[in-house]
Amino acid sequence: MTQVRGEPGKSNRLALLATLTLLAMTACWGSTFYLIKDLMDRVPAADFLAVRFAIASAAMLLIAPRAIGRLSPEVRRHALVLGCLYGGAQILQTVGLAHTAASVSGFITGMYVVFTPLLAAAILRTRITAVTWAAVLLAVCGLGVLTLQGLSIGYGEGLTLLAAALYALHIVGLGAWSKPSDALGMSILQCLVISVICLIAAAPGGITLPDRTGDWIAVVYMALFAGAAALFGQTWAQAHLAPTRSAIIMSMEPVFASFFAILLGGESLTLRMLGGGSMVLAAMLIVELVPRRKIEGEVTHLTV
């Protein structure tokens, strides 16, 4: 498959819209951190994910029941692979979150911003420029300042690091395979695969359902907005953006997580939040404002 990025005019406007879409999706993800941490005190991780993505899949199929049928066999295979990567990452991240602090989980998950350019270079033979690496380094430093108060590698941290690698593979795969016309069908098929993986993981011990109204509201919100809508948004947006650029934009997730923790969770604004968040924001602005020819993948033909 060959994709051409960086065409003037309309493609520039689409790239801006794709960036805004990724930011909105990342904000949704950031709003779920404290919800998930609280919910897992009552519902096992795999059970929560199974219910969340089953609801998301049902909603997407209800809206577009024929979208998968319009996909070519090759695109379906790609969506199956991407769904397996994302589903595995979700389980590893959520289980890891149960064994480590939310701040540490947020930082380690954000390491996909490092894995993505490495994997893009290895798999897609994409040239990573010095400007891009500078943005990656700035984003990682910002994530560390924003989230870390000490880091030791244990069981939970190891699982989360593996999840970050799978997220990076998913980002690289979407960058290579997604097309705007296939985005809805690919999103639905990915969501169905994620649901099956999570159901298999939850099945041995039986599935525990939430027993509080507030928990069900949280699950439905995460299913529809941070699940179905976010997955569709990412799949569509990455048809217009290079993988590393997408990863740097999505590294805003912990920034949004801190914002919602202050707004809704009662946490206080600190200098660490301001400093770390500013560094991550600066990294995103670098890849958005530096001339396109200097940013990885914008004028590169990717052949897969």
Side-chain angles (χ1 to χ4, degrees), residues 133-195:
W133 278 119
V136 168
L137 179 61
L138 186 59
V140 172
C141 291
L143 290 172
V145 172
L146 181 67
T147 61
L148 289 184
Q149 297 180 1
L151 174 63
S152 60
I153 301 298
Y155 175 70
E157 291 80 9
L159 290 179
T160 309
L161 188 63
L162 183 55
L166 293 181
Y167 280 132
L169 280 171
H170 182 261
I171 292 169
V172 172
L174 273 180
W177 292 333
S178 62
K179 294 190 299 183
S181 58
D182 293 331
L184 184 56
M186 285 188 73
S187 302
I188 297 173
L189 187 50
Q190 285 181 82
C191 203
L192 286 170
V193 172
I194 296 166
S195 299

Side-chain angles (χ1 to χ4, degrees), residues 29 36 45 48-49 52-53 84-96 163 166-167 194 198 226:
W29 285 349
I36 293 174
F48 152 69
L49 289 173
R52 173 184 174 182
F53 283 101
C84 288
L85 290 172
Y86 196 95
Q90 281 283 302
I91 290 175
L92 290 171
Q93 181 190 7
T94 307
V95 173
L166 293 181
Y167 280 132
I194 296 166
C198 295

Side-chain angles (χ1 to χ4, degrees), residues 1 3 5 22 25 29 75 78-83 85-86 116 124 166-180 182-187 190 230-244 246 250 302 304:
M1 173 180 171
Q3 294 186 28
R5 303 186 189 276
L22 279 185
M25 175 204 75
W29 285 349
V75 173
H78 291 163
L80 288 172
V81 171
L82 293 170
L85 290 172
Y86 196 95
T116 298
L124 304 179
L166 293 181
Y167 280 132
L169 280 171
H170 182 261
I171 292 169
V172 172
L174 273 180
W177 292 333
S178 62
K179 294 190 299 183
D182 293 331
L184 184 56
M186 285 188 73
S187 302
Q190 285 181 82
L231 190 57
F232 170 65
Q234 182 185 3
T235 302
W236 178 85
Q238 283 206 243
H240 303 284
L241 299 174
T244 300
S246 299
M250 287 188 286
L302 304 180
V304 179

